[in-house]
């Protein structure tokens, strides 16, 4: 079912303390291949930034590392395109500011969302959503970014997933009551995260990100050597301390080199 544009704009008006949201161009779709792909096509046609696309369903959603992003009806499938000026080595900052921004605003609605490295939203130990960032570059600078977000609302989820609507039905007074409200909250989270990033810098944002990172303390084994997750670098590498008899070593593992699991 297509989202109500009027209801979405009504919910979004709640967050107009961030001026960019009042001039955000919104595109709503029933079924499209990918919201990220749609925004790149709109940019190629000369659409002015910032813009957002939301679909009720995606037929070819894209996840990290080339994986398919399952996008069945009932979920929130949203992408935001914005202009930026970020060095290519700091591409992870887009995921950092988006994940932190969304998780932080959901926590204000009494939903204790955490983060799992490198790009997942976690609730009660299960996957609530994920983030996929894509960029365009001039020289060594990222000038345009499309940030794709998928959040489970009322869609079917696997054993390792959780949807927000089912979680909220256990509350006496649910803090979020519609997909349109969730979409507005998510948009606010992204732009608030970006504003905080611009005003405060990466170091402060990374510190706040680490406070809600559920991966800290997670046990891992790489090539038979046991270790413990101790943090994440500003470039998105996972910091792991490996243990051996009488000694320990700290290493940084890039995204994609190791996968952290979920609770079942």
């Amino acid at each position: 079912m297509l989202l109500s544009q009027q209801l979405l704009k009504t919910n979004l008006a709640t967050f107009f303390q961030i001026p960019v949201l009042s001039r955000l161009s919104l595109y709503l779709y029933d079924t499209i291949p990918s919201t990220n792909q749609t925004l790149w096509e709109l940019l190629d046609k000369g659409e002015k930034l910032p813009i957002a696309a939301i679909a009720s369903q995606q037929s070819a959603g894209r996840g990290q590392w080339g994986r398919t992003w399952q996008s069945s009806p009932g979920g929130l499938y949203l992408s935001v395109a914005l202009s930026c000026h970020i060095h290519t080595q700091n591409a992870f900052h887009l995921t950092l500011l988006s994940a932190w921004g969304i998780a932080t605003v959901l926590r204000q609605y009494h939903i204790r969302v955490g983060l799992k490295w490198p790009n997942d939203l976690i609730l009660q130990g299960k996957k609530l959503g994920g983030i996929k960032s894509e960029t365009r570059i001039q020289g060594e600078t990222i000038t345009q970014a499309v940030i794709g977000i998928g959040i489970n609302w009322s869609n079917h989820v696997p054993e390792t997933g959780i949807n927000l609507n089912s979680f909220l039905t256990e509350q006496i007074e649910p803090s979020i009551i519609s997909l349109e409200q969730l979409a507005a909250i998510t948009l606010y989270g992204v732009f608030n995260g970006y504003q905080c990033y611009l005003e405060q810098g990466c170091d402060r944002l990374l510190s706040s990100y680490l406070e809600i990172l559920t991966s800290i303390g997670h046990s891992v084994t790489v090539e038979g050597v046991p270790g413990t997750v101790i943090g994440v670098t500003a470039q998105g590498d996972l910091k792991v301390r490996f243990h051996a008899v009488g000694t320990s070593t700290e290493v940084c593992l890039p995204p994609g080199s190791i996968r952290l699991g979920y609770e079942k």
Side-chain angles (χ1 to χ4, degrees):
M1 179 182 295
L2 190 64
L3 278 74
S4 165
Q5 188 155 19
Q6 184 56 50
L7 185 56
L8 176 55
K9 288 184 176 180
T10 299
N11 278 283
L12 200 56
T14 306
F15 304 113
F16 278 180
Q17 68 266 34
I18 295 184
V20 67
L21 288 176
S22 64
R23 56 180 195 272
L24 177 70
S25 295
L26 285 168
Y27 290 85
L28 305 185
Y29 302 91
D30 185 0
T31 301
I32 56 175
S34 161
T35 54
N36 272 26
Q37 175 185 323
T38 295
L39 285 189
W40 287 126
E41 292 170 354
L42 288 169
L43 287 175
D44 289 339
K45 293 177 181 178
E47 181 68 34
K48 294 182 179 179
L49 296 167
I51 54 178
I54 305 175
S56 299
Q57 186 175 2
Q58 296 181 119
S59 59
R62 303 195 291 262
Q64 294 285 357
W65 329 125
R67 294 192 292 267
T68 300
W69 191 335
Q70 297 298 323
S71 311
S72 56
L76 175 65
Y77 311 113
L78 179 156
S79 292
V80 177
L82 46 81
S83 60
C84 52
H85 190 83
I86 299 173
H87 196 281
T88 52
Q89 70 179 7
N90 294 326
F92 174 73
H93 293 183
L94 292 163
T95 299
L96 168 69
L97 67 89
S98 301
W100 174 84
I102 295 168
T104 299
V105 69
L106 286 174
R107 283 171 165 252
Q108 294 172 6
Y109 284 79
H110 310 293
I111 302 167
R112 299 288 293 177
V113 172
L115 302 173
K116 184 175 83 69
W117 179 84
N119 66 319
D120 288 351
L121 303 169
I122 301 297
L123 181 62
Q124 295 184 332
K126 297 180 181 296
K127 183 173 180 177
L128 177 66
I131 296 168
K132 164 74 171 178
S133 298
E134 299 173 348
T135 60
R136 283 182 176 170
I137 298 168
Q138 291 183 2
E140 296 184 343
T141 301
I142 297 169
T143 57
Q144 292 181 332
V146 169
I147 302 168
I149 300 121
I151 297 180
N152 299 321
W153 172 247
S154 61
N155 53 303
H156 175 75
V157 296
E159 185 181 6
T160 55
I162 185 172
N163 74 48
L164 190 55
N165 191 44
S166 297
F167 170 81
L168 290 170
T169 57
E170 300 176 3
Q171 298 182 354
I172 298 175
E173 295 184 6
S175 54
I176 300 175
I177 61 174
S178 69
L179 190 55
E180 287 85 355
Q181 185 185 9
L182 176 61
I185 289 168
T186 301
L187 286 167
Y188 170 73
V190 172
F191 284 102
N192 186 54
Y194 190 41
Q195 181 171 295
C196 290
Y197 173 76
L198 293 176
E199 293 176 352
Q200 303 174 11
C202 179
D203 289 347
R204 186 168 178 181
L205 199 62
L206 179 61
S207 177
S208 297
Y209 168 91
L210 292 173
E211 289 178 0
I212 55 175
L213 187 70
T214 63
S215 307
I216 299 292
H218 191 99
S219 297
V220 297
T221 301
V222 178
E223 297 181 353
V225 181
T228 303
V229 175
I230 59 173
V232 173
T233 71
Q235 281 66 51
D237 293 344
L238 190 70
K239 296 171 66 175
V240 177
R241 179 179 291 121
F242 288 105
H243 312 291
V245 178
T247 186
S248 65
T249 304
E250 293 183 11
V251 300
C252 295
L253 304 174
S257 61
I258 186 175
R259 295 181 64 180
L260 305 180
Y262 302 93
E263 296 179 11
K264 292 187 177 181

